[in-house]
């Protein structure tokens, strides 16, 4: 007689009292399960990562002492293709966070219909406290440690918070040296001279802009003159702010780790970018007044772009928010409780797995170009990126209208269905 063995336990390596960002992701999967039809049979697959690797990263510092860092690489799901996702250097990185980020990569890749699974990596380190030479040694040792599970056909890292093209060059070189090859396709977001793609640096911010414009148009909002507030002014927030500014929007407030600045008539974003390049942050920018950090969330605005870290929009500030459209440039910036509060107020949220998918989309182009050793022009990249983002937005908006659900639930329905279809048709081994 057959017996039902359904397991709903958390993986034992997570602390049940502090599930962290993984708990947010699990809640999102719960919400989408009723819409998965017969594929719900496989949903447990999404609730546990396929592979979790925790590594010790020992390194000799410039002063001769030895330091140890904790590093991670998580492959959440590889049903539709090799793992894909960035590597983050941050003092608050935890296993739970890397697991959630890996899972969001699975959903993101499937939402845009890229032939990738989801993965993510990180090192628990504040990179501001280390020299370039130390960061190079840390990156190389970390790459060697995770070298047993990454590879151009297995799992392809990319930049994320506090990592960049130089980090990817070190990773590519280390992997290549260890394997006696020149494996340009092992990472994306590389320097152009190493097989990087034109347009990759801007891609995430450009995707935020493209999808944001589509959502604005669908909701009768003209970008010309629209007020925009941006949290995080790095690669994603800075680029998105510039593109909205160039399209005639008024960027009225920006917040980063150095402070919050405001100008009701609109900031000069090009000058602001220069100021940030020179001083390292937005604080003290010309023609702006400083605001207290929590005043940022209460500003009346048409578009709000959280482009920093997870959990920034939560029960503490969701009530205050007076934005018509939120475009999630960061991964996981809105907690499920805040999501409910905002949705019931009528705020439209364009979810991370769609809004910030421009980065991994151009990573996909980079990976394809590396394999064919044939490189496209920047115009070709941007045009293909726009086409893919528009298509993904239209299909998610279609699912949202069909089931009368939020764009986030719709993106999860489309993505989880694709992942679980692949899971089902591949079948269980053995
Ligand atoms: N780190 C980026 C993200 O969160 C890009 C990942 C990639 O290109 O693989 O989407």
């Amino acid at each position: 007689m057959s017996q039902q063995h359904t397991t709903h336990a958390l993986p034992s390596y997570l602390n049940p009292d502090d599930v962290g960002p993984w708990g947010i992701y699990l809640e999102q999967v719960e919400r989408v399960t009723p819409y998965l039809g017969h594929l719900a049979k496989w949903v447990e697959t999404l609730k546990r990562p396929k592979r979790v690797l925790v590594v010790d990263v020992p390194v000799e510092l410039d002063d001769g002492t030895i330091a140890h860092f904790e590093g991670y690489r998580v492959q959440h799901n590889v049903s539709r293709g090799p793992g894909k996702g960035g590597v983050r250097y941050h003092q608050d990185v935890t296993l739970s966070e890397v697991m959630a980020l890996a899972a969001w990569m699975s959903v993101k890749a499937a939402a845009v219909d890229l032939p990738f699974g989801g993965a993510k990596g990180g090192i628990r380190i504040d990179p501001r406290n280390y020299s370039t030479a130390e960061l190079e040694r840390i990156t190389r040792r970390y790459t060697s440690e995770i070298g047993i599970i990454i590879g151009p056909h297995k799992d392809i890292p990319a930049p994320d918070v506090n990592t960049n093209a130089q980090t990817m060059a070190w990773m590519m070189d280390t992997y290549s040296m260890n394997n006696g090859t020149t494996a340009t396709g092992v990472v994306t977001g590389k320097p152009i001279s190493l097989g990087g793609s034109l347009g990759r640096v801007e891609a995430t911010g450009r995707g935020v802009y493209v999808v944001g414009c589509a959502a604005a148009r669908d909701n009768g909002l003209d970008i010309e003159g629209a007020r925009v507030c941006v949290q995080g002014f790095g690669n994603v927030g800075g680029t998105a702010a510039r593109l909205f500014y160039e399209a005639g929007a008024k960027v009225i407030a920006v917040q980063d780790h150095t402070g919050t600045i405001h100008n009701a008539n609109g900031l000069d974003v090009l000058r602001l970018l220069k100021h940030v390049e020179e001083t390292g942050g937005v604080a003290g920018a010309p023609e702006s007044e400083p605001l207290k950090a929590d005043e940022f969330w209460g500003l009346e605005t048409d578009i709000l772009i959280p482009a920093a870290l997870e959990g920034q929009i939560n029960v503490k500030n969701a009530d205050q928010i007076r934005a018509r459209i939120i475009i999630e440039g960061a991964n996981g910036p809105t907690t499920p409780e805040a999501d409910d509060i905002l949705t019931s107020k009528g705020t439209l949220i364009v979810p991370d797995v769609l809004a910030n998918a421009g980065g991994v989309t151009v990573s996909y182009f980079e990976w394809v170009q590396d394999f064919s050793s044939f490189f496209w022009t920047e115009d070709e990249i941007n045009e293909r990126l726009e086409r893919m983002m528009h298509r993904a937005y239209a299909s998610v908006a279609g699912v949202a209208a069909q089931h009368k659900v939020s764009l986030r639930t719709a993106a999860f329905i489309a993505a989880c269905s694709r992942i679980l279809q692949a899971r089902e048709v591949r079948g269980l081994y053995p």
Side-chain angles (χ1 to χ4, degrees), residues 114-172:
L114 304 176
F116 286 136
K120 202 83 174 197
I123 306 181
R124 195 171 167 83
I125 184 177
D126 185 346
R128 289 171 300 187
N129 299 336
Y130 298 90
S131 69
T132 304
E134 288 168 335
L135 288 172
E136 176 172 352
R137 292 197 290 278
I138 291 162
T139 301
R140 287 183 181 280
R141 181 61 190 250
Y142 167 72
T143 308
S144 289
E145 293 298 337
I146 65 165
I148 50 174
I149 61 167
I150 62 169
H153 293 288
K154 291 160 85 177
D155 178 2
I156 305 117
D160 197 75
V161 174
N162 294 331
T163 56
N164 55 28
Q166 177 61 75
T167 323
M168 294 306 114
W170 292 328
M171 290 190 77
M172 176 272 175

Side-chain angles (χ1 to χ4, degrees), residues 372-386:
S372 57
S373 298
F374 180 77
F375 291 87
W376 312 343
T377 65
E378 189 158 356
D379 282 347
E380 279 171 317
I381 302 275
N382 288 343
E383 196 192 298
R384 284 178 201 249
L385 170 64
E386 249 179 70

Side-chain angles (χ1 to χ4, degrees), residues 84-88 101 105 108 120 156-161 188 200 204 331 356-357 359-361 363-364:
K84 187 83 194 81
V87 172
R88 169 174 298 200
L101 291 164
M105 286 308 303
K108 195 186 302 187
K120 202 83 174 197
I156 305 117
D160 197 75
V161 174
T188 59
R200 174 63 186 86
T204 312
N331 290 309
N356 72 32
V360 69
T361 301
S363 276
Y364 166 57

Side-chain angles (χ1 to χ4, degrees), residues 192-209:
I192 302 296
S193 55
L194 261 190
S197 178
L198 295 168
R200 174 63 186 86
V201 175
E202 280 198 354
T204 312
R206 184 172 291 280
V208 167
Y209 168 73

